Amino acid sequence: MSVHADIARYDVKSIALADEGKRRTEWSERSMPVLRQIRARFAKEQPLKGLKLSACLHVTTETANLMATLRAAGAEIALCASNPLSTQDDVAAHLVRDHGVHVYAIKGEGHETYYTHIAQALAFGPDMTQDDGADLVGSLHMIALNRLDDLAPPIRKWVEGLSSAERKALVGAVRGSTEETTTGVIRLKAMAKEGVLQFPIVAVNDSSTKHMFDNRYGTGQSTLDGIVRATNLLLAGSTVVVAGYGWCGRGVASRARGAGAHVIVTEVDPLPALEARMDGFQVLPMSDAAAVGDLFITLTGNLHVVRPEHFARMKDGAIVANSGHFNVELDLEGLAGIASERREVRNMVEEYVVKGKRIMVLGEGRLINLAAAEGHPASVMDMSFANQALAAELLAKEWQTLGNAVHRLPVSVDQEIARLKLQSMGITIDTLTPEQVKYLASWDAGT
């Protein structure tokens, strides 16, 4: 379907950047053997032939390899950014020029442009979507529920130009969606609980080969990479406060300790707080940690984790960064309200002065691993995007039998992705003997 026939083919910084984007994408592809095997099969079987797919993802070299895989499967694709600072402009140009992807993404784009790009991805008229944060799905559901006032102005303006029949057709054409991140899955499960989901969702983040590796090892390394690139901070000997001890928080805490930092964890849930303590980390409320931390990193998925009362207690020179999906974890409006001065002191570093003390905020409070660095290493995104590709295939084949709920990929898919990853690493493991299989399936063997 087409709900906006005159949609621009792309909006990127410069097509002239495509050569560099191609070189960097090829470099990432070397570390993505699982996705490469899926792409080879997709090229033969064409499971997405004739389908239009709109994706709202971080526009990185790893994402480019996912887009190439989906194109090999036969899909037409529109891609927009899932964060204003997460686009790699050379990669966006490469995808347009070399893979025929309709890309709407520019690093550093403003609020209006960001949502205009989401509107353009929706105007592509998708048969399925891929999300990292549920912006596409959320917008589609606001349209379906006629909650147009809850849409960002650029999206609302476009939707208001559609007839009632066109709006209904836009949402009705979507067979399903995949969701990449914890924050998006939380939103989608809330929608399912309210009974408002219009189509099935595959929660890629729920796959073990995604969250156990991407969230922990990917976020752990890339977050500190972004912070170090932005600040040239020495982690050894510093006190790092990690807000949230989910899979992402675990990864950051572990990597920071490995770099020689003293790590403090803050939590609101007693179970992960207890786990953090048993893992050897100090656990404190944010109000106490604020006075002693040198570096603060939020990874909770919630808003206003660090508030004015916390900023006011921080020492001179404290550095604050966010690695949660949305830029709501740091109450920057509240910080601006208590600051007497505010200035950029280096790229991706803004200094606020509060009662004579300097507080450094990194990357506008957005995902620091993508704002100031390149995001997760390709070798871990290999598994995450293998899940995305196989989730798209599942929706294409089984969308009519899946209910309007949040689903996860079968455990067998998780195991196959892990097997392929081990194989690519040259690692073999044991297999059960027939005797062991029989024993594990029995109940009467005794002691």
Side-chain angles (χ1 to χ4, degrees):
M1 64 170 289
S2 177
V3 293
H4 203 248
D6 62 346
I7 181 176
R9 195 169 76 82
Y10 63 86
D11 185 18
V12 300
K13 183 177 182 179
S14 172
I15 290 294
L17 299 172
D19 284 345
E20 178 63 16
K22 181 180 180 182
R23 282 192 293 270
R24 295 202 310 112
T25 298
E26 289 172 347
W27 175 260
S28 289
E29 195 263 353
R30 300 181 190 195
S31 298
M32 304 183 82
V34 178
L35 191 63
R36 190 161 58 241
Q37 291 183 60
I38 293 171
R39 185 185 309 166
R41 177 173 67 82
F42 276 9
K44 294 177 182 178
E45 298 176 5
Q46 295 277 286
L48 305 182
K49 186 175 182 179
L51 297 180
K52 300 178 75 173
L53 186 151
S54 291
C56 183
L57 304 169
H58 303 303
V59 184
T60 65
T61 57
E62 295 77 22
T63 302
N65 282 297
L66 172 62
M67 296 299 103
T69 300
L70 299 174
R71 288 286 287 149
E76 295 181 60
I77 301 171
L79 171 67
C80 63
S82 60
N83 188 289
L85 290 177
S86 68
T87 295
Q88 296 168 5
D89 289 316
D90 56 339
V91 173
H94 162 55
L95 282 171
V96 171
R97 189 193 71 181
D98 300 318
H99 291 288
V101 177
H102 301 253
V103 182
Y104 309 100
I106 301 170
K107 186 176 179 70
E109 59 193 19
H111 186 271
E112 183 172 353
T113 301
Y114 176 76
Y115 283 104
T116 296
H117 286 162
I118 290 177
Q120 288 174 303
L122 292 173
F124 190 61
D127 298 296
M128 67 174 65
T129 68
Q130 290 186 335
D131 254 316
D132 192 333
D135 275 342
L136 287 181
V137 167
S139 297
L140 284 167
H141 280 73
M142 292 302 175
I143 296 168
L145 300 173
N146 201 33
R147 291 175 53 179
L148 303 191
D149 289 342
D150 292 322
L151 291 168
I155 302 176
R156 184 174 68 245
K157 181 179 179 181
W158 167 67
V159 172
E160 287 174 344
L162 302 177
S163 68
S164 176
E166 287 173 325
R167 295 176 196 174
K168 185 176 180 180
L170 171 68
V171 179
V174 179
R175 299 181 178 189
S177 181
T178 67
E179 175 53 53
E180 174 77 10
T181 196
T182 308
T183 301
V185 172
I186 290 171
R187 288 180 163 188
L188 293 163
K189 287 181 177 177
M191 294 163 69
K193 187 176 180 180
E194 289 185 18
V196 298
L197 271 183
Q198 304 293 304
F199 41 76
I201 306 290
V202 179
V204 168
N205 190 73
D206 285 355
S207 294
S208 295
T209 45
K210 196 281 183 185
H211 67 257
M212 287 178 64
F213 300 92
D214 174 321
N215 296 19
R216 176 168 44 173
Y217 301 112
T219 304
Q221 178 170 309
S222 65
T223 295
L224 296 184
D225 180 26
I227 290 168
V228 170
R229 290 198 202 194
T231 64
N232 200 27
L233 173 72
L234 177 66
L235 292 166
S238 65
T239 297
V240 177
V241 178
V242 176
Y245 202 67
W247 286 105
C248 294
R250 289 183 184 100
V252 170
S254 175
R255 299 283 83 75
R257 177 165 60 186
H262 171 65
V263 178
I264 298 171
V265 171
T266 71
E267 254 296 347
V268 296
D269 187 328
L271 288 175
L274 180 60
E275 183 182 7
R277 187 68 186 108
M278 294 293 187
D279 285 344
F281 299 110
Q282 186 178 5
V283 178
L284 291 174
M286 181 60 77
S287 57
D288 293 339
V292 297
D294 300 305
L295 168 63
F296 298 80
I297 308 169
T298 55
L299 308 103
T300 71
N302 210 337
L303 82 167
H304 296 173
V305 177
V306 183
R307 301 182 293 276
E309 64 265 29
H310 303 135
F311 289 119
R313 297 203 69 195
M314 290 180 184
K315 62 175 72 172
D316 181 42
I319 297 170
V320 186
N322 169 55
S323 203
H325 185 80
F326 291 112
N327 62 328
V328 297
E329 304 208 19
L330 309 177
D331 185 0
L332 297 185
E333 186 175 338
L335 174 59
I338 63 172
S340 58
E341 298 178 44
R342 176 179 173 182
R343 64 177 182 138
E344 184 179 51
V345 292
R346 58 185 283 156
N347 187 37
M348 292 292 166
V349 184
E350 196 166 18
E351 177 188 270
Y352 293 74
V353 179
V354 177
K355 295 182 179 178
K357 295 185 293 185
R358 296 163 297 175
I359 297 171
M360 312 299 173
V361 176
L362 307 187
E364 301 176 12
R366 299 189 183 276
L367 279 163
I368 191 58
N369 59 341
L370 283 153
E374 298 179 55
H376 297 353
S379 58
V380 75
M381 293 308 298
D382 186 28
M383 291 185 286
S384 298
F385 284 161
N387 278 285
Q388 278 281 16
L390 295 176
E393 181 183 34
L394 176 72
L395 285 172
K397 292 179 177 178
E398 301 183 22
W399 65 280
Q400 291 176 306
T401 60
L402 292 172
N404 292 351
V406 178
H407 307 269
R408 63 162 290 172
L409 285 168
V411 173
S412 59
V413 173
D414 246 347
Q415 292 174 329
E416 178 62 8
I417 290 172
R419 187 191 68 79
L420 290 172
K421 191 65 174 178
L422 285 170
Q423 184 183 74
S424 74
M425 299 166 74
I427 297 171
T428 57
I429 62 175
D430 290 324
T431 57
L432 295 173
T433 66
E435 179 186 32
Q436 289 171 328
V437 172
K438 181 179 178 181
Y439 179 79
L440 290 175
S442 66
W443 61 270
D444 57 355
T447 57

